[in-house]
Every structure is written in C-alpha cells, then in structure tokens.
Amino acid sequence: MPSTATTIRRDVLTLPAAELGPPNPLPPLRPLDEAHHIDERARAGLPRDMARQIGYEPLRGVLPLRILDGYGRERADTTLDTLVLENAKLRVTVLPGLGGRIHSLFHKPTGRELLYRNPVFQPADFALNGAWYSGGVEWNIGATGHTTLSCAPLHAARVPAPDGGEMLRLWEWERLRDLPFQVDLWLPDGSDFLYVGVRVRNPHEKPAPVYWWSNIAVPEERRVLAPADEAWHFGYERTLRRVPVPEFEGADRSYPLNGAYPADYFYEVPDGQRRWIAALDDTGHGLVQTSTDLLRGRKLFLWGSGPGGRRWQSWLTEPGTGGYAEIQAGLARTQLEHVRLDAESEFAWLEAYGPLSCAPAATHGADWAAACAETEARLADVLPRDAVDAAYDAWRPYADTEPGEMLARGSGWGALEVLRAEYKLPGTPFDEEQLGPDQEPWRELLRSGSFPVPRRVGPPGPTLVAPHWRDMLETAPAEPLAEYHLGVAQWHAGDRAQAVRSWERALELAPSLWPLLRCLAVSDIETGNRERAAERYADAFDDLCQERRDDGAVWTAATAALGREAIAALLAVGATARARAVWDRLHPATRERGRFRLIEAQLLLTEGNRESARALFDTGFEVPDLREGAKTLTETWSHLTEDPLPPHYNFTMHPPTTA
C-alpha cells in the first residue's frame, strides 16, 4: 500500500466537559502547597548531584499566575478545537487550547489507540495553579508539579519539517521561570513513530532553573518496562528512597495495579544506556517512548489498587471507563529536581512515540532482565538508536524556521516580555499583535512609566513580579493601584516588610480597600497574628460586598474566593458568628457548590451543630477542587463520627501508618 503525504488540519472534538470558570482574582500569596517536596534532612544520603538539584531554586509560590479553581463537576457536551497530524500509519490529535496536549495517538494499521484517551474533560486540583486534567501526553515545564499551562492555550502554526513535509509547532512563554519553549511534532512519511523536538531557551543574562517532564497516560492494565534495576520511590509520605526493580515489598511493581497506594518510581537508568520506557499489554502490544540522551529520566506513576487511588481514577474520568498509569520522561532523575540552564543558552532534545510489539512470554515473564532485553531489541528493530540521533540532527536547523500559517493563539505575555527586552527568538515569534487586555496596563507602564487607573471599578488584574517589573513599579507614581501591585511584587521577592508598607500607603487613598486588606490579612497569618488577620478579613469582605457592582462571573469569583478565606480565618480564632455573617452574604449559587458545602459543614461543627453537619455529608456533595493529597474531607469526617469514611469521600493517598 503506497504511503500518503503527512497532513496537518484543523478539526474539532466533542466531549462531556466541565467549564473551566474564571481565574481566582486574589493573588496567590501563600506558600506553595506542592506534594513533590522533601525537606533538607531527607536529602541526606542522596547522590550529590540529585541532592544539589533538589535544593536548586525550589518554587515558593505561583505568582505571577492566578489560581484556577472556578470549575465544577457538571459536564455538558462541548466542542474543543483540535489540530490533527496524520500520515499512513498514525493519527495524532492535539488540543492547542489545553496546553498543547496530545489527546490521541492512533495507530491505523492495527486499529490501536496507543495512549489512555480520557473520554471527558474534567479539571481537578493537580496543577501548580489548580486546574489540570488527565489523559494523553502532557508537556510539563516550569517547576516540580504539573505545569500551570495544563489548561492554557498555546500558540500553534505550520512549519517546514526536515523531510520536506510539515511540522506542527507549539510554543509559549512559561511565566514561573520566564522561559520561552517550543514543541515541534512531525510524522515522517510512512513512519510508525511521531517525532517531537523540544527546545527550552533562556534569553536572560543569568542562569535559570529548568524543569521538564513529558507525562504519557497509558491504560493501567499494562506492564511498564524501562532499562533499570533500581528506582527512587516517592510516595505521599514525602520520602525518597532507593528500591529494587521490579520486585519491591513482595510484589512486582512493574504492574501498576500491584501497588496499593499512589506512588512514583523514578528509574535509575545507567549512564550510556539508551533512554526508553514502554507499556505493554498481556499480548505484548503497546506504546514505547524513547529520546536523545539529554532527556535522561524515566518514571512510572501509578494510582494503585487501594480505595483512594480507585476513587481518584473515577473522579478524573468517567466511572467504568478504565483507569490509567503514567510513563514519563524528564531532564532529571526525579521530579523533585531543577536543572540549571546557563544564561543565553538552551536545552534541546528529540522524543519519539510509537507502537511496539514483543513476544508476550518474554516481556511478561518472571525474568526482568530478559523482559527488558526483549523490549530493547524490538525497539532497536523498529527504531534504532542512531535513527533517533539522526532525526534530532536533522531537526535542529529547522527549530529556528519562522512559522507559516498560524493555527492557534496563546497568551500575550511572551509578546510583552519581547517588547520590553527586545529578545531575538527565531522560530517562536511573540509579536506585539498578541498583546491583550491583561497585558495592556503593563505595556502602558513600560511606555509611560505610570500604571494606568482603570475606567471601571473591578478586582485588580494580575500582577507581574519579575525584578524588572518590580523596578518599574517602584519608580511609578504612587497611585493606590500601583502600590497594590508593587506590594505583591515585593512580597513575591521576599521583602515582606516593604510589601506591607506599600499596601498600607495605598489604603490611605484607595477607592477599593478590600484587595489591600486581604493582602495585609495574609501577611498577618504568615507572621502569626491570627486575630488581626481575622479582623482584616472581615473588614475586607464588608468592603467587597459594598463595592461589588453585579452578580457577573468576575465579582462572583471575587466574593467566593475572599469569603472562603475569610471564613477560614474567622473560624481559626473562634469568631463563629462573624464567619456565619460572611457565609450569609455569599451568593446562593456559591453556597451550593461542593467546596462551600464542606465549609458549611465545618461552620456547623464549630457552632456545635454536629447533626446538621453530618446531614450534609449524608446528603452528599463533591468538592471539585479537592487538592491532590489533601486530608480535609477525612479530617472533617473524623470530627463528626467514628464511622468509617464513606467510599465516595475517600481520596486517601497515604498508607494508614502516615494518614
């Protein structure tokens, strides 16, 4: 059968989807709640390079990003824009508006879907800034954890490919580390493998910490193989320890369902060994991922067979549609590390994804070394190591090629940075026409030295916190809004005293007091002054209720976010009546949301009304933005009763000894 030319086309995909909702308008000032963290004492005994990279520039917060927590659990059929790459062998479906994720990798000759393809779009609180969803191939850049771009649009365009065909280029400006990156996808004519060229650039005059993991969701009824005899095990007890592969604590952990609790296994791939990882079913068929050597890390993430893992599986997708595990590839050995990228330099590598068929008796036999040898031999047959290196060499000259037809638009933040610093970034244009309403006040600050006063009263927009923007805010006229943003930037830089002074100065003339009072309340919590924090939160909520102009999405989001924080602060100091007063002024639709039903149960408990709190649990509710690893449901239930936690509230990710 003759091959057909590779094509790239626009298409659509209709899925049951939950609405993403508006961003939380309150700047995230509190320390980052990230599960992938170990303390300094736990680093003792680790390899020196690993320990050094674990301690290198850990992320303290997610500014300048906003938290995405406005989604729910109600799903309706929704049409999503897709970009489809196709040749005679593979059809690749990409979601440019949702992080550029590969939604599907379909092998046409065998009729097999090579990935776990989520049948729904359901955000959950796994990304560094909240909303994330499962399935497909996710490009994780930024810092330890799921990228803040999980549910964000990327720029996309056609670009010439090394073989004379076309590539799909995705690119954006990663804002946590202020680094541009690109992902080039192409299918050589007639190839069974998708090639992915990735480049992360540091245009700045100082080094930058870099984090990258390609996360590949596969059906969990697979055996995961990688060329390693040891792995670093990381569980939600936040400990990192070296364990043997595949047998560990009496079970073969290369089968994801053999673990009881969610866990990471970071494989210790020997130096010089070809980098690859595969997930094969009981017939020996499945997916393999390999790369050039720079992408050194390989990992298995599993949800496990315990009740918490099974609950998360059904929570993230449609119950009854099967679970998934993730095979992953990264720049470091573990996801607790950041890698130094020198000033004005770049990291670049090539990945390949495709089908693999092996003898099932060999790959599912008891002999791990033989299973890995069989898998690597079959990989060498279909895609030799030197072919991947040659594809990388062929791609590199094309990485700078300017895009042709634009297929999707990302954000305007990269354009703002390029406008400010006049960076030259061939291949990834960040043009001034990409600037939008969020960037406009910052362009005015750049142009005139003054931060503009908005024409309409509303919650403040996002704050830029990088040193160059902070310097501009410090020299801008001391208008209240400029002082508010300056305080946020100073807080992010660790200059807490100056931040408080900026916010206090702004209070004297500000028409809107609540954003400043809320920031000062957070400062009080961080310094242990809980009583004053509660007072300021109550005053801030009073001011917001007097100022809000309508019941639209923005004001409703601000009321919900501030009310949620205020109630928690008031309950923490026993101000139950004032917490109830805040609750009563939330929008009725907000009070019906699952997150707020849990808050209501906590409020009722504090008021001594245990029976009504228990009735809320018995009636049932769902907390859409339940944080990965959170114990809130379990702890609240334990205050209500000694009865076992009902299965639909059991999201436990910890073994019983650490729960």
Side-chain angles (χ1 to χ4, degrees):
M1 175 179 169
S3 63
T4 57
T6 300
T7 60
I8 300 174
R9 69 177 189 276
R10 290 187 174 94
D11 206 338
V12 295
L13 173 69
T14 300
L15 291 178
E19 288 189 15
L20 192 57
N24 186 322
L26 307 183
L29 302 176
R30 301 295 300 277
L32 184 68
D33 178 21
E34 169 51 37
H36 294 89
H37 169 76
I38 59 174
D39 61 29
E40 190 169 348
R41 287 180 301 172
R43 296 178 213 159
L46 297 178
R48 291 179 62 185
D49 61 331
M50 183 187 293
R52 182 180 65 253
Q53 291 184 164
I54 289 173
Y56 176 49
E57 297 288 341
L59 195 67
R60 305 298 183 189
V62 298
L63 284 167
L65 277 299
R66 291 289 177 90
I67 300 298
L68 299 176
D69 59 5
Y71 50 88
R73 297 279 301 169
E74 300 76 30
R75 297 194 286 263
D77 284 350
T78 304
T79 299
L80 304 174
D81 290 330
T82 66
L83 297 171
V84 179
L85 295 82
E86 191 164 7
N87 67 2
K89 301 292 186 66
L90 289 174
R91 183 167 61 246
V92 186
T93 303
V94 176
L95 299 174
L98 293 169
R101 186 175 303 207
I102 298 177
H103 173 73
S104 170
L105 185 60
F106 184 77
H107 188 236
K108 295 195 285 187
T110 60
R112 296 179 186 273
E113 172 60 53
L114 301 180
L115 304 174
Y116 170 78
R117 184 174 57 190
N118 198 331
V120 303
F121 171 68
Q122 177 56 63
D125 191 5
F126 279 70
L128 289 164
N129 63 333
W132 169 89
Y133 64 105
S134 64
V137 182
E138 174 188 11
W139 316 115
N140 277 287
I141 181 174
T144 53
H146 288 282
T147 177
T148 61
L149 294 165
S150 290
C151 294
L154 269 56
H155 301 287
R158 299 178 192 272
V159 183
D163 62 354
E166 289 184 319
M167 291 192 295
L168 173 62
R169 175 164 298 162
L170 307 165
W171 73 98
E172 245 303 352
W173 192 279
E174 200 288 310
R175 300 179 64 208
L176 292 178
R177 303 302 196 182
D178 265 339
L179 301 176
F181 72 97
Q182 70 189 76
V183 178
D184 288 352
L185 302 96
W186 84 100
L187 295 170
D189 191 13
S191 173
D192 287 288
F193 279 83
L194 169 69
Y195 288 156
V196 181
V198 183
R199 177 166 64 166
V200 180
R201 287 189 274 195
N202 177 11
H204 308 295
E205 295 179 348
K206 62 178 183 178
V210 173
Y211 173 92
W212 183 282
W213 282 82
S214 301
N215 289 11
I216 308 147
V218 294
E220 64 185 350
E221 298 85 2
R222 300 288 187 271
R223 190 182 202 191
V224 174
L225 298 115
D229 296 323
E230 294 182 311
W232 294 93
H233 173 274
F234 183 79
Y236 284 81
E237 317 94 305
R238 297 189 177 185
T239 58
L240 187 66
R241 52 182 170 150
R242 196 192 296 258
V243 299
V245 173
E247 295 284 337
F248 170 51
E249 293 184 344
D252 185 342
R253 306 296 174 161
S254 64
Y255 293 92
L257 287 171
N258 281 354
Y261 289 89
D264 298 327
Y265 291 88
F266 299 102
Y267 295 109
E268 187 68 77
V269 180
D271 291 341
Q273 169 67 49
R274 185 177 186 181
R275 263 58 184 166
W276 60 267
I277 190 166
L280 305 178
D281 65 18
D282 57 7
T283 68
H285 298 293
L287 171 75
V288 66
Q289 187 270 2
T290 187
S291 71
T292 48
D293 289 350
L294 182 68
L295 202 66
R296 66 173 296 185
R298 292 298 185 274
K299 171 195 162 184
L300 164 64
F301 167 76
L302 56 88
W303 284 107
S305 58
R310 303 332 295 165
R311 184 69 181 109
W312 273 115
Q313 289 272 32
S314 64
W315 181 260
L316 295 171
T317 182
E318 191 69 31
T321 58
Y324 75 95
E326 286 184 356
I327 57 175
Q328 304 181 13
L331 283 174
R333 277 185 287 190
T334 74
Q335 286 175 330
L336 287 71
E337 303 170 65
H338 299 102
V339 181
R340 174 187 166 115
L341 177 57
D342 290 334
E344 299 177 337
S345 59
E346 64 184 41
F347 288 144
W349 65 90
L350 185 113
E351 305 180 44
Y353 297 76
L356 194 67
S357 295
C358 300
T363 52
H364 288 272
D367 189 327
W368 172 254
C372 290
E374 163 73 8
T375 306
E376 186 160 340
R378 298 291 74 75
L379 173 59
D381 289 341
V382 296
L383 187 66
R385 185 176 188 177
D386 58 6
V388 175
D389 293 336
Y392 170 78
D393 291 338
W395 165 69
R396 288 296 284 130
Y398 289 81
D400 284 347
T401 303
E402 293 303 322
E405 178 192 3
M406 289 295 296
L407 300 171
R409 293 284 184 184
S411 78
W413 295 112
L416 184 67
E417 292 301 325
V418 169
L419 180 66
R420 179 193 64 80
E422 299 182 345
Y423 294 125
K424 304 300 181 186
L425 299 169
T428 54
F430 294 98
D431 300 328
E432 201 166 345
E433 65 184 24
Q434 298 169 2
L435 297 173
D438 282 344
Q439 293 83 44
E440 191 53 44
W442 299 94
R443 176 163 66 170
E444 178 62 24
L445 174 64
L446 181 63
R447 186 189 65 81
S448 69
S450 298
F451 198 89
V453 177
R455 296 178 181 177
R456 298 178 59 187
V457 174
T463 303
L464 296 183
V465 296
H468 39 267
W469 294 107
R470 187 174 72 247
D471 291 345
M472 282 184 256
L473 288 167
E474 287 177 345
T475 58
E479 299 291 340
L481 186 56
E483 291 286 283
Y484 160 82
H485 286 300
L486 174 58
V488 174
Q490 290 167 331
W491 181 270
H492 176 74
D495 195 347
R496 303 296 174 83
Q498 284 289 1
V500 168
R501 282 192 281 272
S502 295
W503 292 326
E504 289 176 339
R505 281 196 306 269
L507 274 176
E508 299 174 7
L509 298 173
S512 298
L513 302 181
W514 66 267
L516 298 159
L517 289 169
R518 184 264 176 178
C519 290
L520 290 167
V522 172
S523 174
D524 287 334
I525 289 175
E526 291 297 294
T527 56
N529 196 336
R530 298 192 305 162
E531 295 284 349
R532 190 168 67 183
E535 192 70 30
R536 279 174 161 162
Y537 263 122
D539 292 344
F541 194 78
D542 289 345
D543 187 68
L544 171 60
C545 290
Q546 294 173 22
E547 183 180 279
R548 63 187 180 196
R549 295 296 191 263
D550 52 48
D551 292 336
V554 174
W555 282 108
T556 298
T559 305
L562 185 59
R564 178 172 163 178
E565 291 185 10
I567 291 171
L570 290 162
L571 290 181
V573 298
T576 309
R578 297 190 76 177
R580 173 62 68 178
V582 172
W583 171 266
D584 289 341
R585 284 175 289 168
L586 294 172
H587 293 90
T590 298
R591 293 199 295 264
E592 291 301 312
R593 289 163 50 187
R595 165 59 66 181
F596 288 85
R597 300 302 297 274
L598 176 59
I599 291 172
E600 184 182 13
Q602 295 166 333
L603 180 56
L604 288 165
L605 267 172
T606 308
E607 292 171 333
N609 193 343
R610 187 183 302 268
E611 183 177 333
S612 295
R614 173 64 186 264
L616 283 174
F617 272 83
D618 291 343
T619 300
F621 57 84
E622 295 182 313
V623 182
D625 60 330
L626 188 68
R627 183 66 175 164
E628 173 189 11
K631 302 179 183 179
T632 315
L633 281 169
T634 306
E635 291 172 349
T636 305
W637 177 261
S638 69
H639 290 300
L640 288 173
T641 178
E642 294 182 358
D643 293 344
L645 183 68
H648 57 282
Y649 293 126
N650 188 353
F651 293 87
T652 304
M653 303 180 82
H654 306 262
T657 55
T658 59

